[in-house]
Amino acid sequence: MYVVTAASAAGRAGCLVGFASQCSIDPPRFTVWLSTANHTYRVAREAEYLTVHLLRQEDRALAELFGEETGDRVDKFSAVGWRPGEAGSPVLEQVCSWFTGRIEGRIEGGDHVGFLLAPVAVCPPIEGPPPPLLRYRALRDLDPGHPA
């Protein structure tokens, strides 16, 4: 699971994302899929960059905040530490694995739109074995801020 953040003239936003994947090795590319019902999608449409944060099992509270609340009603960033990244795209301080990608294209996919990203900034590598990741099955009980 990921938290994807964006900033544009429409403000800043972030949401929990389950549909995402590397899609090219050379050049490196990654695609994240955002629900068109989502506040983050509306901000991302106008953004140049998105930041993709890979969640660990210990990040459940962050997943709850970005998955159950909607930016239509709540400033999620007032509850977490963050800093502006490329073009203001928020980088969450609590998450140790993230990258920021320049939006290279968009792919219509029904009720979700894929944002094709070219990485431009990557978090420093972490030492030791990778931490256990937060998976969808651990979050099935969340009440989404918007219907999918």
Side-chain angles (χ1 to χ4, degrees):
M1 299 298 292
Y2 305 88
V3 168
V4 174
T5 59
S8 69
R12 66 179 176 257
C15 65
L16 185 65
V17 169
F19 304 143
S21 179
Q22 179 180 342
C23 57
S24 175
I25 296 169
D26 188 17
R29 295 292 184 267
F30 194 90
T31 301
V32 296
W33 294 86
L34 301 179
S35 168
T36 58
N38 198 306
H39 174 74
T40 302
Y41 168 74
R42 293 190 301 276
V43 172
R45 281 188 315 201
E46 308 300 321
E48 280 184 79
Y49 299 90
L50 299 180
T51 300
V52 180
H53 304 81
L54 179 62
L55 298 182
R56 302 161 295 179
Q57 285 180 359
E58 64 197 57
D59 294 324
R60 182 177 172 96
L62 201 59
E64 290 172 355
L65 173 65
F66 282 89
E68 292 187 320
E69 300 295 339
T70 173
D72 293 319
R73 295 187 298 270
V74 173
D75 177 8
K76 300 173 195 179
F77 297 96
S78 67
V80 297
W82 66 278
R83 64 177 176 77
E86 297 290 325
S89 182
V91 175
L92 303 176
E93 294 173 354
Q94 174 181 332
V95 180
C96 62
S97 297
W98 59 268
F99 76 92
T100 299
R102 182 179 55 256
I103 300 171
E104 296 284 307
R106 291 168 182 81
I107 306 152
E108 297 295 323
D111 61 2
H112 283 67
V113 171
F115 287 77
L116 178 64
L117 305 177
V120 297
V122 179
C123 68
I126 57 173
E127 296 291 323
L133 300 179
L134 187 58
R135 307 267 184 210
Y136 170 75
R137 67 180 164 266
L139 300 174
R140 286 186 288 212
D141 61 326
L142 294 186
D143 247 348
H146 280 285

